[in-house]
Structures are given as C-alpha cells and as structure tokens.
Amino acid sequence: MLELLDKNKLPKHIAIIMDGNGRWAKERGKDRLYGHQHGVLSVRDVVEGCAEIGIQYLTLYAFSTENWNRPENEVNALMELLVSTIRKEAETLQKNGVRLNVIGDIDTLPKQCIEELHEAIEMTSQNTRLNLVLALSYSAKWEILQACKKIANDVKNDTLHLDQINDNTFKQYLTTVNIPDPELLIRTSGEYRISNFLLYQIAYAELYFTNTHWPDFRKENLVEALLNYQNRERRFGKISEQLK
Ligand code: FPP
C-alpha cells in the first residue's frame, strides 16, 4: 500500500487525536487500562510508519488538560504507562533516528514523568529523521492564553512593539515554536471534535475522521488517511483555477 502514496505530496506534519481506547477495551469486557496499553502498540506502529514514509513531524495528543479530571486511578495508570513506555522505547527511538519532544504544561506532570521525558528528549536531541511530539497536559486554550500573557509582558517591558505582533511573531510564543503547522489532523473512534487540540495551528489543516478505535489503528490506516489527504484540493481561500 505504501507504494500507492505520492512521495511529492506528503504532509510535513501529521497530528493525531488518539481516541477510543476506553470503548475498545469495553467491547472486550476489559478495563480502560487494557485499552491504553494496547494504544501504546498503535503508537509504536504509527511512529514506525511515519518514519518509513518520510513524515517529518508527528504530534500525538496523549493527555489533555481536561484529562486530569478523569478518575484518579486512570490518571495514575496513564502516567505510569507513559513513564514505562518512554523508558522502554527511548533506545528504539534513538536507533531509528526519532527525536522526541513534548508540548504542554509539563510542570504539572509527576516528577518521575518529567525526569524520564527530559532524559529521552536529551538523548534523542540530535536525531533528524522524524520529530515525535507528545502533547501532554496540553490544551490549545491554555497554550494561546500563556502566549498572550507572555506577549503582554514583553510589550510592557518594551521588548516587543504592538506593530510587531503578527502571525509569525505570535507563533514564536506558542509551544509549537519551530514546528510547521500540521497539514493533516486525524481523529480516531468516530468523534467529530477537535477537543482543544492545536486550535491556532490547524487553521488550514485537512481533517480526517475514522471510526477505527485507536488500539486498532495501524500503519495501513495511516496510509489510508494519507491517500485520502492526497486526493483533496487544498485551496487556502483561493479558487481551483488559481492553483493550476
Ligand atoms: C483516548 O481514549 C486516549 C487517551 C486519553 C490516552 C492516550 C494514551 C495512550 C495511547 C497511551 C500512552 C501514549 C504514549 C505516547 C506512550 P479514551 O480513553 O478517551 O477512549 P474512550 O473515548 O473510548 O473512552
């Protein structure tokens, strides 16, 4: 299936809202953690797929600001899963040229989680094949508000002038600084929502929704999403004839 892809029409950046772990587990009479554990296998497969296909940036919505409101045992289990996954997979990321990064209010994560992440980020910092960005304790409203506060502060301190605030300068204050905007946003599990993810950055992203639950999502599903993306006409406000 990979050979069906047009290598000249690949998105640089794919963002994914990984949804449906809980429902996937419930359908099997298992607890939600079982779904998250299987979700990790999908993360593995999709990261590998992106590296093979030649995608430069992959951002995964792994834990939202709102996810802190889930039952305490699920939050703890997710944090433990995150720590153990990073620990287990860091070496593989390194071997495969994957650079790890995180966006979000990272200071709110458990100490052990922060340490594990820092270690893996540091270890993989020279890699250039694929940038894997984990959105953790992330929400777009939080991100935009913290950007506004920093901008207000810089204006107050005279290090930024009002006239200098434009799309490019604003982006410097977002957590995704230096990361190109995603051209393709995928959400699994049949929900048609953005759920506070990358609101500023997806202004012109193509949206792709699939009923597949995240633990069933594999490279083949990624290729399917990419084929769908490659068949779309991206007009950016222009008309068809202007694109030719
Ligand atoms: C959404 O499914 C999934 C999450 C909130 C957690 C995603 C986490 C993982 C896939 C594992 C850890 C990730 C990494 C990067 C190591 P849901 O629980 O909302 O499912 P539901 O809507 O069916 O209840």
Side-chain angles (χ1 to χ4, degrees), residues 205-223:
E206 295 296 327
L207 309 181
Y208 178 85
F209 299 98
T210 169
N211 287 332
T212 306
H213 292 318
W214 178 250
D216 282 332
F217 197 91
R218 289 290 179 277
K219 276 179 211 175
E220 295 72 36
N221 306 84
L222 177 71
V223 173

Side-chain angles (χ1 to χ4, degrees), residues 9 11 25 27 36-37 73 87 110 115 133 150 153 205 207 219 223:
K9 249 177 109 179
E27 282 169 13
H36 296 314
Q37 285 165 339
N73 63 346
R87 192 173 294 153
E115 283 171 6
V133 183
K150 283 187 199 156
N153 201 43
L207 309 181
K219 276 179 211 175
V223 173

Side-chain angles (χ1 to χ4, degrees), residues 18-24 32 35-40 43 60-64 67 70 74 78 81-82 85-86 134 136 187 189 191 213-214:
M18 311 180 286
D19 195 15
N21 293 350
R23 276 164 284 169
W24 183 89
R32 299 179 55 82
H36 296 314
Q37 285 165 339
H38 279 262
V40 172
V43 170
L60 300 175
Y61 205 6
F63 195 84
S64 72
N67 286 154
R70 290 195 174 194
E74 183 170 346
L78 271 169
L81 187 61
L82 192 70
T85 305
I86 303 289
L134 297 183
L136 291 167
R187 182 173 189 143
S189 210
E191 307 285 358
H213 292 318
W214 178 250

Side-chain angles (χ1 to χ4, degrees), residues 49 78 82 85 89 106 122 151 166 212:
L78 271 169
L82 192 70
T85 305
E89 302 293 338
I106 302 309
E122 176 60 31
I151 289 174
N166 54 35
T212 306

Side-chain angles (χ1 to χ4, degrees), residues 151-163:
I151 289 174
N153 201 43
D154 283 356
V155 171
K156 195 172 83 183
N157 295 333
D158 273 338
T159 49
L160 183 71
H161 195 267
L162 268 186
D163 299 339

